[in-house]
Amino acid sequence: MKVKLNCILLVDDDEPTNFLNKIAVEELECTHHIKIIPGAREALDYLSCSGQPAPLNKECPSPEIIFLDINMPAMDGWEFLQKYEALPEAHKSSIIVIMLTTSFNPEDELKARKIPSVKEFRNKPLTSALLQDILKKYFPDKY
């Protein structure tokens, strides 16, 4: 039996994309919680809550993986990452950040590779096969 992750966080403003991504995660039954947040600012607020000691974090299960879109209104993925990098370690410890985007701009991928928190740069949509590859790579003891 596989050991489930606590939480996977999907940060994207596009509802159809979130729907498809959620289905891919649900197909693998790999997590106890799937949290969908449509904005980068809200995702930072969520991470601040999840890094709190219990019982304050009951509503905000700490994610092991964040799938982050680049292009979002108000605050984009790049701005999110800039603020994410400045968070205390307790709020981001051992979280795998995957940029999941429709961008085919090679400059975006080069920029992402220079950010320490970003482990991978992948194209949408999230599929069960892609998620399985990520799980095997970053959680080999569980998958």
Side-chain angles (χ1 to χ4, degrees):
M1 184 173 100
K2 297 184 281 189
V3 177
K4 290 185 178 187
L5 299 179
N6 184 43
C7 180
I8 292 178
L9 177 59
L10 306 171
V11 183
D12 197 315
D13 64 310
D14 186 64
E15 283 187 49
T17 297
N18 286 327
F19 177 77
L20 293 173
N21 291 348
K22 183 178 180 191
I23 288 172
V25 174
E26 287 174 340
E27 281 178 2
L28 288 184
E29 298 178 354
C30 60
T31 186
H32 294 289
H33 305 280
I34 303 168
K35 183 67 179 171
I36 298 172
I37 299 180
R41 192 172 325 262
E42 296 91 342
L44 287 168
D45 291 342
Y46 177 87
L47 291 171
S48 293
C49 171
S50 71
Q52 297 296 318
L56 295 176
N57 65 2
K58 276 186 180 175
E59 299 299 314
C60 306
S62 186
E64 282 91 355
I65 303 175
I66 297 173
F67 288 100
L68 176 66
D69 185 30
I70 293 176
N71 298 313
M72 294 180 282
M75 177 187 280
D76 65 20
W78 303 119
E79 293 170 291
F80 169 89
L81 288 167
Q82 186 177 26
K83 296 196 181 303
Y84 178 82
E85 290 286 325
L87 286 175
E89 249 343 278
H91 298 290
K92 61 181 183 174
S93 63
S94 70
I95 297 174
I96 306 299
V97 178
I98 310 287
M99 292 203 87
L100 194 62
T101 181
T102 56
S103 174
F104 288 100
N105 182 345
E107 295 297 318
D108 283 341
E109 187 168 359
L110 288 172
K111 185 176 179 179
R113 292 191 184 280
K114 293 178 183 175
I115 300 171
S117 297
V118 177
K119 302 300 181 202
E120 301 207 17
F121 185 93
R122 298 294 191 107
N123 289 105
K124 290 180 186 178
L126 178 63
T127 62
S128 295
L130 171 59
L131 179 56
Q132 196 161 28
D133 288 344
I134 289 168
L135 292 170
K136 285 179 183 175
K137 182 174 182 177
Y138 295 102
F139 304 94
D141 56 323
K142 295 181 181 181
Y143 294 92

mmCIF file of all heavy atoms in Angstrom, residues 51-80:
data_model
loop_
_atom_site.group_PDB
_atom_site.id
_atom_site.type_symbol
_atom_site.label_atom_id
_atom_site.label_comp_id
_atom_site.label_asym_id
_atom_site.label_seq_id
_atom_site.Cartn_x
_atom_site.Cartn_y
_atom_site.Cartn_z
ATOM 1 N N GLY A 51 2.082 26.682 8.182
ATOM 2 C CA GLY A 51 3.325 26.576 8.932
ATOM 3 C C GLY A 51 3.167 26.778 10.421
ATOM 4 O O GLY A 51 4.129 26.677 11.176
ATOM 5 N N GLN A 52 1.948 27.052 10.859
ATOM 6 C CA GLN A 52 1.681 27.272 12.282
ATOM 7 C C GLN A 52 1.577 25.937 13.011
ATOM 8 O O GLN A 52 1.159 24.943 12.444
ATOM 9 C CB GLN A 52 0.379 28.051 12.463
ATOM 10 C CG GLN A 52 0.396 29.440 11.881
ATOM 11 C CD GLN A 52 1.398 30.332 12.546
ATOM 12 O OE1 GLN A 52 1.539 30.326 13.765
ATOM 13 N NE2 GLN A 52 2.120 31.099 11.758
ATOM 14 N N PRO A 53 1.923 25.923 14.284
ATOM 15 C CA PRO A 53 1.764 24.689 15.049
ATOM 16 C C PRO A 53 0.288 24.342 15.239
ATOM 17 O O PRO A 53 -0.566 25.215 15.192
ATOM 18 C CB PRO A 53 2.438 25.000 16.386
ATOM 19 C CG PRO A 53 2.548 26.476 16.453
ATOM 20 C CD PRO A 53 2.502 27.009 15.062
ATOM 21 N N ALA A 54 0.006 23.056 15.425
ATOM 22 C CA ALA A 54 -1.371 22.617 15.699
ATOM 23 C C ALA A 54 -1.837 23.291 16.985
ATOM 24 O O ALA A 54 -1.029 23.563 17.854
ATOM 25 C CB ALA A 54 -1.407 21.107 15.830
ATOM 26 N N PRO A 55 -3.085 23.620 17.149
ATOM 27 C CA PRO A 55 -4.232 23.348 16.280
ATOM 28 C C PRO A 55 -4.479 24.437 15.246
ATOM 29 O O PRO A 55 -5.440 24.362 14.512
ATOM 30 C CB PRO A 55 -5.392 23.267 17.257
ATOM 31 C CG PRO A 55 -5.023 24.262 18.314
ATOM 32 C CD PRO A 55 -3.508 24.192 18.424
ATOM 33 N N LEU A 56 -3.622 25.460 15.158
ATOM 34 C CA LEU A 56 -3.864 26.558 14.225
ATOM 35 C C LEU A 56 -3.851 26.113 12.770
ATOM 36 O O LEU A 56 -4.440 26.746 11.916
ATOM 37 C CB LEU A 56 -2.817 27.667 14.430
ATOM 38 C CG LEU A 56 -2.851 28.373 15.777
ATOM 39 C CD1 LEU A 56 -1.706 29.355 15.882
ATOM 40 C CD2 LEU A 56 -4.184 29.092 15.960
ATOM 41 N N ASN A 57 -3.179 25.012 12.456
ATOM 42 C CA ASN A 57 -3.037 24.610 11.065
ATOM 43 C C ASN A 57 -4.060 23.574 10.606
ATOM 44 O O ASN A 57 -3.931 23.025 9.531
ATOM 45 C CB ASN A 57 -1.623 24.115 10.802
ATOM 46 C CG ASN A 57 -1.289 22.856 11.561
ATOM 47 O OD1 ASN A 57 -2.120 22.303 12.266
ATOM 48 N ND2 ASN A 57 -0.070 22.391 11.423
ATOM 49 N N LYS A 58 -5.084 23.295 11.409
ATOM 50 C CA LYS A 58 -6.088 22.291 11.032
ATOM 51 C C LYS A 58 -6.763 22.616 9.705
ATOM 52 O O LYS A 58 -7.054 21.728 8.920
ATOM 53 C CB LYS A 58 -7.156 22.162 12.113
ATOM 54 C CG LYS A 58 -6.781 21.247 13.229
ATOM 55 C CD LYS A 58 -7.977 21.076 14.156
ATOM 56 C CE LYS A 58 -7.609 20.139 15.292
ATOM 57 N NZ LYS A 58 -8.676 20.039 16.273
ATOM 58 N N GLU A 59 -7.046 23.879 9.478
ATOM 59 C CA GLU A 59 -7.716 24.298 8.245
ATOM 60 C C GLU A 59 -6.749 24.409 7.075
ATOM 61 O O GLU A 59 -7.181 24.578 5.947
ATOM 62 C CB GLU A 59 -8.425 25.638 8.457
ATOM 63 C CG GLU A 59 -9.503 25.607 9.518
ATOM 64 C CD GLU A 59 -10.616 24.632 9.183
ATOM 65 O OE1 GLU A 59 -11.084 24.628 8.031
ATOM 66 O OE2 GLU A 59 -11.010 23.858 10.086
ATOM 67 N N CYS A 60 -5.482 24.324 7.343
ATOM 68 C CA CYS A 60 -4.464 24.512 6.310
ATOM 69 C C CYS A 60 -3.445 23.379 6.351
ATOM 70 O O CYS A 60 -2.316 23.562 6.825
ATOM 71 C CB CYS A 60 -3.727 25.830 6.514
ATOM 72 S SG CYS A 60 -4.778 27.282 6.618
ATOM 73 N N PRO A 61 -3.801 22.190 5.858
ATOM 74 C CA PRO A 61 -2.808 21.113 5.873
ATOM 75 C C PRO A 61 -1.581 21.498 5.069
ATOM 76 O O PRO A 61 -1.678 22.090 3.993
ATOM 77 C CB PRO A 61 -3.549 19.927 5.251
ATOM 78 C CG PRO A 61 -4.797 20.453 4.673
ATOM 79 C CD PRO A 61 -5.058 21.800 5.257
ATOM 80 N N SER A 62 -0.436 21.207 5.614
ATOM 81 C CA SER A 62 0.827 21.586 4.985
ATOM 82 C C SER A 62 1.069 20.757 3.722
ATOM 83 O O SER A 62 1.049 19.531 3.765
ATOM 84 C CB SER A 62 1.960 21.380 5.983
ATOM 85 O OG SER A 62 3.153 21.871 5.445
ATOM 86 N N PRO A 63 1.299 21.422 2.585
ATOM 87 C CA PRO A 63 1.488 20.684 1.340
ATOM 88 C C PRO A 63 2.911 20.137 1.198
ATOM 89 O O PRO A 63 3.867 20.729 1.672
ATOM 90 C CB PRO A 63 1.224 21.742 0.258
ATOM 91 C CG PRO A 63 1.616 23.026 0.905
ATOM 92 C CD PRO A 63 1.279 22.871 2.367
ATOM 93 N N GLU A 64 3.000 19.000 0.537
ATOM 94 C CA GLU A 64 4.317 18.470 0.160
ATOM 95 C C GLU A 64 4.685 18.912 -1.247
ATOM 96 O O GLU A 64 5.852 18.996 -1.589
ATOM 97 C CB GLU A 64 4.337 16.936 0.221
ATOM 98 C CG GLU A 64 4.459 16.375 1.611
ATOM 99 C CD GLU A 64 3.109 16.125 2.248
ATOM 100 O OE1 GLU A 64 2.057 16.459 1.670
ATOM 101 O OE2 GLU A 64 3.096 15.605 3.365
ATOM 102 N N ILE A 65 3.665 19.182 -2.067
ATOM 103 C CA ILE A 65 3.886 19.632 -3.444
ATOM 104 C C ILE A 65 3.004 20.839 -3.718
ATOM 105 O O ILE A 65 1.832 20.865 -3.336
ATOM 106 C CB ILE A 65 3.536 18.543 -4.484
ATOM 107 C CG1 ILE A 65 4.340 17.271 -4.242
ATOM 108 C CG2 ILE A 65 3.782 19.051 -5.906
ATOM 109 C CD1 ILE A 65 3.949 16.114 -5.158
ATOM 110 N N ILE A 66 3.579 21.829 -4.387
ATOM 111 C CA ILE A 66 2.813 22.964 -4.908
ATOM 112 C C ILE A 66 2.981 22.957 -6.423
ATOM 113 O O ILE A 66 4.106 22.956 -6.928
ATOM 114 C CB ILE A 66 3.325 24.314 -4.362
ATOM 115 C CG1 ILE A 66 3.167 24.396 -2.853
ATOM 116 C CG2 ILE A 66 2.599 25.474 -5.056
ATOM 117 C CD1 ILE A 66 3.801 25.642 -2.232
ATOM 118 N N PHE A 67 1.858 22.933 -7.139
ATOM 119 C CA PHE A 67 1.865 23.127 -8.582
ATOM 120 C C PHE A 67 1.461 24.573 -8.812
ATOM 121 O O PHE A 67 0.354 24.985 -8.452
ATOM 122 C CB PHE A 67 0.898 22.161 -9.281
ATOM 123 C CG PHE A 67 1.395 20.747 -9.284
ATOM 124 C CD1 PHE A 67 0.912 19.838 -8.364
ATOM 125 C CD2 PHE A 67 2.356 20.333 -10.201
ATOM 126 C CE1 PHE A 67 1.370 18.529 -8.354
ATOM 127 C CE2 PHE A 67 2.824 19.023 -10.193
ATOM 128 C CZ PHE A 67 2.332 18.125 -9.270
ATOM 129 N N LEU A 68 2.359 25.358 -9.394
ATOM 130 C CA LEU A 68 2.204 26.810 -9.486
ATOM 131 C C LEU A 68 2.139 27.268 -10.934
ATOM 132 O O LEU A 68 3.027 26.954 -11.733
ATOM 133 C CB LEU A 68 3.403 27.482 -8.792
ATOM 134 C CG LEU A 68 3.503 28.992 -8.845
ATOM 135 C CD1 LEU A 68 2.368 29.646 -8.056
ATOM 136 C CD2 LEU A 68 4.856 29.452 -8.291
ATOM 137 N N ASP A 69 1.107 28.030 -11.252
ATOM 138 C CA ASP A 69 0.968 28.658 -12.566
ATOM 139 C C ASP A 69 1.818 29.928 -12.600
ATOM 140 O O ASP A 69 2.085 30.531 -11.550
ATOM 141 C CB ASP A 69 -0.506 28.985 -12.817
ATOM 142 C CG ASP A 69 -0.763 29.524 -14.211
ATOM 143 O OD1 ASP A 69 -0.025 29.159 -15.149
ATOM 144 O OD2 ASP A 69 -1.715 30.304 -14.373
ATOM 145 N N ILE A 70 2.223 30.354 -13.794
ATOM 146 C CA ILE A 70 2.979 31.603 -13.924
ATOM 147 C C ILE A 70 2.032 32.787 -14.066
ATOM 148 O O ILE A 70 2.107 33.759 -13.323
ATOM 149 C CB ILE A 70 3.933 31.577 -15.140
ATOM 150 C CG1 ILE A 70 5.046 30.567 -14.928
ATOM 151 C CG2 ILE A 70 4.529 32.966 -15.373
ATOM 152 C CD1 ILE A 70 5.975 30.425 -16.121
ATOM 153 N N ASN A 71 1.140 32.714 -15.050
ATOM 154 C CA ASN A 71 0.301 33.863 -15.404
ATOM 155 C C ASN A 71 -1.006 33.862 -14.631
ATOM 156 O O ASN A 71 -1.915 33.107 -14.943
ATOM 157 C CB ASN A 71 0.025 33.859 -16.914
ATOM 158 C CG ASN A 71 1.303 34.003 -17.697
ATOM 159 O OD1 ASN A 71 2.122 34.854 -17.396
ATOM 160 N ND2 ASN A 71 1.490 33.150 -18.679
ATOM 161 N N MET A 72 -1.061 34.735 -13.627
ATOM 162 C CA MET A 72 -2.270 34.916 -12.830
ATOM 163 C C MET A 72 -2.451 36.412 -12.590
ATOM 164 O O MET A 72 -1.467 37.155 -12.545
ATOM 165 C CB MET A 72 -2.145 34.191 -11.478
ATOM 166 C CG MET A 72 -2.080 32.686 -11.587
ATOM 167 S SD MET A 72 -1.921 31.880 -9.983
ATOM 168 C CE MET A 72 -0.176 32.127 -9.653
ATOM 169 N N PRO A 73 -3.704 36.858 -12.429
ATOM 170 C CA PRO A 73 -3.930 38.282 -12.173
ATOM 171 C C PRO A 73 -3.492 38.679 -10.759
ATOM 172 O O PRO A 73 -3.314 37.822 -9.907
ATOM 173 C CB PRO A 73 -5.442 38.435 -12.336
ATOM 174 C CG PRO A 73 -5.987 37.081 -12.077
ATOM 175 C CD PRO A 73 -4.936 36.101 -12.501
ATOM 176 N N ALA A 74 -3.333 39.944 -10.561
ATOM 177 C CA ALA A 74 -2.951 40.543 -9.269
ATOM 178 C C ALA A 74 -1.517 40.207 -8.895
ATOM 179 O O ALA A 74 -0.681 41.094 -8.791
ATOM 180 C CB ALA A 74 -3.914 40.182 -8.151
ATOM 181 N N MET A 75 -1.208 38.946 -8.677
ATOM 182 C CA MET A 75 0.158 38.528 -8.366
ATOM 183 C C MET A 75 0.442 37.277 -9.199
ATOM 184 O O MET A 75 -0.263 36.285 -9.084
ATOM 185 C CB MET A 75 0.304 38.210 -6.873
ATOM 186 C CG MET A 75 1.693 37.697 -6.489
ATOM 187 S SD MET A 75 1.815 37.135 -4.756
ATOM 188 C CE MET A 75 1.986 38.702 -3.933
ATOM 189 N N ASP A 76 1.488 37.349 -10.018
ATOM 190 C CA ASP A 76 1.788 36.188 -10.853
ATOM 191 C C ASP A 76 2.707 35.197 -10.123
ATOM 192 O O ASP A 76 3.094 35.422 -8.976
ATOM 193 C CB ASP A 76 2.374 36.609 -12.205
ATOM 194 C CG ASP A 76 3.738 37.286 -12.108
ATOM 195 O OD1 ASP A 76 4.444 37.140 -11.085
ATOM 196 O OD2 ASP A 76 4.115 37.963 -13.083
ATOM 197 N N GLY A 77 3.010 34.106 -10.783
ATOM 198 C CA GLY A 77 3.836 33.067 -10.181
ATOM 199 C C GLY A 77 5.228 33.548 -9.805
ATOM 200 O O GLY A 77 5.798 33.104 -8.807
ATOM 201 N N TRP A 78 5.780 34.455 -10.597
ATOM 202 C CA TRP A 78 7.127 34.979 -10.293
ATOM 203 C C TRP A 78 7.109 35.793 -9.003
ATOM 204 O O TRP A 78 8.018 35.668 -8.170
ATOM 205 C CB TRP A 78 7.650 35.830 -11.454
ATOM 206 C CG TRP A 78 7.702 35.115 -12.756
ATOM 207 C CD1 TRP A 78 7.029 35.439 -13.905
ATOM 208 C CD2 TRP A 78 8.460 33.935 -13.068
ATOM 209 N NE1 TRP A 78 7.323 34.536 -14.887
ATOM 210 C CE2 TRP A 78 8.206 33.610 -14.417
ATOM 211 C CE3 TRP A 78 9.334 33.124 -12.341
ATOM 212 C CZ2 TRP A 78 8.790 32.514 -15.053
ATOM 213 C CZ3 TRP A 78 9.921 32.029 -12.965
ATOM 214 C CH2 TRP A 78 9.649 31.727 -14.299
ATOM 215 N N GLU A 79 6.092 36.635 -8.847
ATOM 216 C CA GLU A 79 5.970 37.428 -7.613
ATOM 217 C C GLU A 79 5.738 36.510 -6.415
ATOM 218 O O GLU A 79 6.279 36.741 -5.335
ATOM 219 C CB GLU A 79 4.819 38.425 -7.737
ATOM 220 C CG GLU A 79 5.074 39.511 -8.766
ATOM 221 C CD GLU A 79 3.832 40.322 -9.041
ATOM 222 O OE1 GLU A 79 2.876 39.772 -9.634
ATOM 223 O OE2 GLU A 79 3.818 41.514 -8.665
ATOM 224 N N PHE A 80 4.923 35.481 -6.618
ATOM 225 C CA PHE A 80 4.706 34.490 -5.564
ATOM 226 C C PHE A 80 6.037 33.902 -5.124
ATOM 227 O O PHE A 80 6.334 33.824 -3.931
ATOM 228 C CB PHE A 80 3.780 33.370 -6.062
ATOM 229 C CG PHE A 80 3.721 32.190 -5.123
ATOM 230 C CD1 PHE A 80 2.792 32.152 -4.100
ATOM 231 C CD2 PHE A 80 4.602 31.118 -5.260
ATOM 232 C CE1 PHE A 80 2.741 31.065 -3.225
ATOM 233 C CE2 PHE A 80 4.559 30.036 -4.396
ATOM 234 C CZ PHE A 80 3.635 30.000 -3.381
#
